[in-house]
Amino acid sequence: MSELLYLKDDGVNAVSDRFQTRFAQVKANFFSRDPDLWPVFREPGFAALNAFRARALAPAERLSAWPDGPARLAHLREGAPVPATMQMPGEPMEELLFAAALSKDWENPSSVENVITMSADPAIYGAQMGILANPNLVYSEYAGVAEELERKVVRQIAMLAGYDPQRATGIFTQGGTFCNLYGYLLGIRKSLPDAKHKGLGHYQDYRIINSQGGHYSNITNLSLLGVDIENKTIRIQVGENNDIDLDDLERTLTACFALKHVVPTIMLTMGTTDTFGVDRVKPVFDLRNRLCEQFEVPVKPHIHVDAAIGWSMIFFLGYDFAANPLSINPATLAGIERNVARFAELKYADSFTVDFQKWGYVPYTSSLVMIRERDDLKAMENDPENFSYFERDIQGQTHLQSTIECSRGASGLFGAYAALNYLGVEGYRIVLAHCLQNANYFRYRLSQLGNVKLVAQENQGPSVGFKLYNPEWVSDPDAEFAFELARSPDPAYKARLARNTQWHRQQFTSRGKVGLYTNWVEAVARSEYDARGKYSYIAGEKAVFMNPACSREQIDAFIAHIRG
């Protein structure tokens, strides 16, 4: 079945009655803020917040809709001391509620700006339980049984991804950036062990490898670690769908090993932010092993996968695509099957990032770095004398000496556990398929406009990147986009590219928030590489369909407004 089946006709994008019934049940049970199902929402402050958000007001309408909203905002901005006297329980804390109500409303059905979405009801309940219990996961004496809960979630994700749950381990941490930091550190500590005490400057012949399509934390983390980014980091080229160029990787890795450079870490991405590019892992795993044997490399590069966005696709591993028990529509079923073939390779990664706070519907922050071999953490262990105020007999029972943090809160863990075990695989499959059906329907409707180019259109994740062209200038968006991709120093090329970008940007800014709240992206695509490997960014627009509240009503309104 073609990956571009979603462009065929409206029929392949239709939502079956059976699927719609199943999704409505999931939404009612887990995304409704219903106090009868989840009594925590009956608390007066929570009830007021949810009632306000249920109005689904446009961003420009929200401040004035709140009683004395502009005055409250002005008051909040004033410099004020901590009150001298106590405020008794039960008295309203109006500024607190106001700040919560006027925070970004990810529950609005139109909110599709980025890889962020509303949290599931059970995840909110679980996170609050973790806050109330207040364990510190860094040390067993401070965590108690919460430590066992962390181990259970780690085993559950290990089994979903194809890791051996008896050999794997994992650490809940603060965001995907920290997870990727662990990925780099695992490689550095295994390959360059003296760096722990002498720093990376002690070594001259190392190279860190990552992809040009990766998240910006792939670079900012290296700066944090003190890596010489200009001279010690190699960024691998990407293909037209923003996945890593395996040929360029092979050339690079071969050259590194031939020159006796140590390669501590290879950073891959499964689900890029703007276009959901998904790197292959098994070919990288095989390439690494083959070249390490050929060049007699004693410590293999650590393969870390930033799957912060895409990890949720592992819920579809094992799905019966032939029987299709959820009645997912044909267009989306083909896309999921393509993605599953790639995410089945996640088990070959030495470690990977899981952001429950993204497509897992858990409140901030809830992130987990999964590690295939728990023995890898031994390379991360710091000297025991640094932990003199912890009981020596207990230190080895936890990740205490191997963690970056000295405190690890548990609200993310409790939220993740509640989401995983209330929704289960079935619930996640249903809500993810709803989002992906929306994304494909949006692609299909955009393709009907005649002046739109879909970017990385084989990638059928939740992220939809696109470019709008002035129909008076451009009759063939595919040809115009191909022209933009062909990077050129010619002033006429630059002027034409700038003209197209300015026109689309003006359409985006003048449109306002109608139907869908999309986002402007300065690098929705990259040009082709020139002879020196240089490239240019191409700006455009994106929508990310992770929001379970979003429906075709919002998509149709957006398309109708563009069509005018």
Side-chain angles (χ1 to χ4, degrees):
M1 185 176 291
S2 170
E3 290 90 350
L4 301 184
L5 185 60
Y6 66 85
L7 294 177
K8 182 180 177 183
D9 57 45
D10 189 56
V12 296
N13 290 292
V15 178
S16 71
D17 290 341
R18 184 169 184 273
F19 180 87
Q20 191 58 42
T21 299
R22 300 291 297 279
F23 173 70
Q25 181 183 27
V26 170
K27 186 178 178 183
N29 285 335
F30 304 122
F31 294 94
S32 66
R33 309 295 191 253
D34 186 345
D36 291 332
L37 297 176
W38 304 97
V40 67
F41 296 126
R42 194 165 281 122
E43 189 278 327
F46 291 173
L49 171 61
N50 288 332
F52 183 72
R53 290 194 164 192
R55 296 168 66 181
L57 299 171
E61 300 171 348
R62 300 178 75 219
L63 182 62
S64 60
W66 190 265
D68 299 320
R72 288 206 173 278
L73 181 61
H75 185 263
L76 194 63
R77 288 171 171 169
E78 291 177 357
V82 175
T85 59
M86 295 182 290
Q87 180 166 321
M88 299 307 295
E91 296 181 19
M93 188 68 73
E94 294 295 343
E95 285 189 350
L96 191 66
L97 180 56
F98 171 70
L102 272 295
S103 295
K104 170 64 183 175
D105 183 8
W106 293 109
E107 298 169 29
N108 189 305
S110 296
S111 292
V112 293
E113 291 98 318
N114 214 328
V115 290
I116 313 169
T117 186
M118 68 184 297
S119 299
D121 298 337
I124 295 170
Y125 171 75
Q128 290 173 334
M129 189 74 75
I131 291 171
L132 180 62
N134 199 31
N136 182 352
L137 295 172
V138 80
Y139 182 53
S140 60
E141 285 290 281
Y142 301 165
V145 176
E147 182 181 58
E148 297 300 332
L149 194 71
E150 181 178 40
R151 288 172 177 165
K152 181 169 183 178
V153 172
V154 167
R155 290 194 301 270
Q156 289 179 324
I157 296 299
M159 287 186 280
L160 282 173
Y163 278 5
D164 181 345
Q166 302 306 315
R167 297 170 61 181
T169 191
I171 297 171
F172 268 85
T173 186
Q174 303 300 308
T177 296
F178 261 49
C179 292
N180 294 339
L181 181 62
Y182 272 106
Y184 278 134
L185 268 175
L186 283 162
I188 290 170
R189 294 289 171 83
K190 288 193 296 182
S191 295
L192 308 172
D194 287 343
K196 180 163 57 178
H197 297 112
K198 298 180 180 180
L200 282 167
H202 176 70
Y203 297 93
Q204 297 302 315
D205 295 326
Y206 74 91
R207 298 293 186 273
I208 302 288
I209 293 177
N210 60 36
S211 166
Q212 292 174 352
H215 189 261
Y216 65 79
S217 67
N218 288 359
I219 293 298
T220 57
N221 270 334
L222 295 179
S223 178
L224 178 66
L225 290 167
V227 171
D228 181 348
I229 295 173
E230 184 175 342
N231 297 304
K232 304 295 185 184
T233 301
I234 302 176
R235 310 209 73 195
I236 305 300
Q237 296 180 358
V238 296
E240 62 179 345
N241 291 315
N242 283 337
D243 50 353
I244 197 166
D245 184 329
L246 295 171
D247 291 334
D248 189 38
L249 176 62
E250 180 167 4
R251 287 190 296 269
T252 300
L253 199 55
T254 300
C256 286
F257 289 163
L259 294 171
K260 305 299 182 183
H261 294 320
V262 174
V263 178
T265 304
I266 300 172
M267 179 74 67
L268 303 178
T269 304
M270 299 188 83
T272 57
T273 304
D274 296 328
T275 57
F276 205 73
V278 180
D279 291 341
R280 296 284 306 278
V281 184
K282 180 61 161 57
V284 178
F285 173 87
D286 291 339
L287 173 66
R288 177 199 66 175
N289 291 352
R290 173 169 57 83
L291 292 181
C292 283
E293 182 177 356
Q294 178 182 340
F295 289 96
E296 299 180 336
V297 176
V299 181
K300 296 175 182 177
H302 183 93
I303 298 174
H304 180 83
V305 175
D306 178 2
I309 297 169
W311 74 273
S312 306
M313 294 305 298
I314 64 177
F315 287 111
F316 284 101
L317 297 179
Y319 185 72
D320 189 339
F321 288 95
N324 190 20
L326 295 179
S327 299
I328 300 168
N329 68 36
T332 303
L333 190 70
I336 294 174
E337 191 166 13
R338 176 185 186 273
N339 279 326
V340 162
R342 296 206 170 192
F343 279 88
E345 298 178 358
L346 191 55
K347 64 185 178 183
Y348 294 101
D350 294 305
S351 59
F352 65 91
T353 294
V354 171
D355 258 5
F356 288 102
Q357 67 205 30
K358 292 185 172 69
W359 219 7
Y361 302 105
V362 178
Y364 281 112
T365 56
S366 182
S367 298
L368 168 66
V369 56
M370 285 294 300
I371 303 165
R372 187 175 60 190
E373 301 291 342
R374 65 174 64 250
D375 286 348
D376 280 358
L377 278 182
K378 291 180 179 178
M380 293 276 289
E381 288 183 357
N382 290 291
D383 297 331
E385 56 264 27
N386 295 329
F387 302 87
S388 58
Y389 49 86
F390 295 99
E391 291 187 45
R392 188 173 297 274
D393 291 342
I394 298 177
Q395 290 180 32
Q397 298 176 21
T398 69
H399 300 321
L400 169 67
Q401 291 169 233
S402 300
T403 55
I404 299 170
E405 307 94 332
C406 297
S407 301
R408 290 197 295 124
S411 62
L413 160 64
F414 277 70
Y417 179 84
L420 286 172
N421 291 278
Y422 273 105
L423 271 74
V425 171
E426 179 186 37
Y428 269 106
R429 284 175 173 174
I430 291 170
V431 73
L432 297 177
H434 166 78
C435 297
L436 293 170
Q437 287 181 152
N438 277 345
N440 275 332
Y441 178 69
F442 184 56
R443 293 182 179 100
Y444 172 66
R445 294 302 312 275
L446 285 174
S447 72
Q448 293 179 308
L449 294 176
N451 66 324
V452 177
K453 171 61 183 177
L454 295 169
V455 177
Q457 54 189 10
E458 289 187 6
N459 297 347
Q460 291 188 51
S463 303
V464 181
F466 60 98
K467 289 209 63 178
L468 292 176
Y469 294 101
N470 186 336
E472 296 180 3
W473 302 338
V474 176
S475 59
D476 185 344
D478 288 335
E480 189 68 12
F481 188 67
F483 169 82
E484 294 180 343
L485 290 179
R487 188 173 189 265
S488 170
D490 186 348
Y493 164 84
K494 295 180 180 179
R496 187 162 146 186
L497 178 61
R499 182 182 72 162
N500 287 338
T501 299
Q502 289 167 5
W503 186 86
H504 185 179
R505 175 69 177 170
Q506 191 277 329
Q507 297 296 308
F508 171 80
T509 54
S510 64
R511 181 193 315 140
K513 303 292 187 179
V514 178
L516 297 174
Y517 305 160
T518 57
N519 209 4
W520 184 257
V521 185
E522 292 297 332
V524 77
R526 289 172 172 77
S527 72
E528 296 169 354
Y529 297 95
D530 63 18
R532 297 177 299 167
K534 301 294 184 180
Y535 59 90
S536 303
Y537 290 125
I538 298 174
E541 197 168 346
K542 77 170 180 182
V544 184
F545 291 90
M546 291 183 172
N547 187 352
C550 184
S551 72
R552 299 193 173 199
E553 177 184 350
Q554 286 76 41
I555 295 172
D556 289 340
F558 180 86
I559 296 295
H561 184 74
I562 290 180
R563 184 170 275 162

